[in-house]
Amino acid sequence: ISAPISVCEGSTGVVFTAADNPAYDTYTWSITSGATNGVPSGKTFTVDASGTDKIVVSLTSGLNNGCSIICTKEVDIIPNPTGTATGAAVCFGATSTTITLINVVVSPNQYQINFDDPAITDINSFTNIPGGNVIGITIPGNLAAATYTGTITLYNSTSTCTGTAPF
């Protein structure tokens, strides 16, 4: 069975594929653990990851001579990075503020920001998280004094997994 070595927590559409062998004429797929929504289609089986351990899938392949073989495949589930962030406190007339990431887990190293207020420009490309987890933000000088909210998407460029940190 071929499948990815690992997937991110919550991944959907994870595909398992049986070896191409003309001696097999039936394929019976099952989920042992770590997945939901199994959709078999002949030599392929598509599942959604659930949990943070492993997806374990079994395949019973029927041979055209009446015998069968059972194979199992495991795929690691990598937890998504998570954290929380402080709100962006703004004084009237200020042109910059900071957001601090706290309680960060699973080693994100990049971020994007989507502000709830359209007056503040979103950061749409992944940017390296600065040391100390303090992110400097440029803001329009005419914003009302307030604490602004939004969502930071945290990204681990090694695992390619993402998570969020609302503020």
Side-chain angles (χ1 to χ4, degrees), residues 3 20 32-33 66 71 111 125 138 142 153:
D20 193 16
T32 304
S33 65
C71 298
Y111 70 93
S125 60
T138 301
N142 61 351
T153 299

Side-chain angles (χ1 to χ4, degrees), residues 47-126:
V47 301
D48 298 337
S50 63
T52 56
D53 187 23
K54 294 180 183 301
I55 299 172
V56 182
V57 167
S58 294
L59 167 64
T60 302
S61 299
L63 298 167
N64 53 23
N65 66 2
C67 296
S68 63
I69 62 168
I70 299 172
C71 298
T72 300
K73 180 71 173 180
E74 293 184 357
V75 172
D76 290 327
I77 299 174
I78 300 170
N80 292 327
T82 60
T84 55
T86 60
V90 174
C91 295
F92 182 75
T95 57
S96 67
T97 188
T98 60
I99 297 173
T100 302
L101 294 170
I102 53 177
N103 302 320
V104 178
V105 295
V106 193
S107 304
N109 61 344
Q110 295 181 339
Y111 70 93
Q112 290 177 325
I113 300 179
N114 182 353
F115 288 95
D116 293 336
D117 188 316
I120 305 174
T121 303
D122 293 340
I123 299 173
N124 293 316
S125 60
F126 281 112

Side-chain angles (χ1 to χ4, degrees), residues 2-21:
S2 64
I5 294 170
S6 62
V7 296
C8 297
E9 176 183 355
S11 292
T12 59
V14 181
V15 178
F16 293 77
T17 305
D20 193 16
N21 186 329

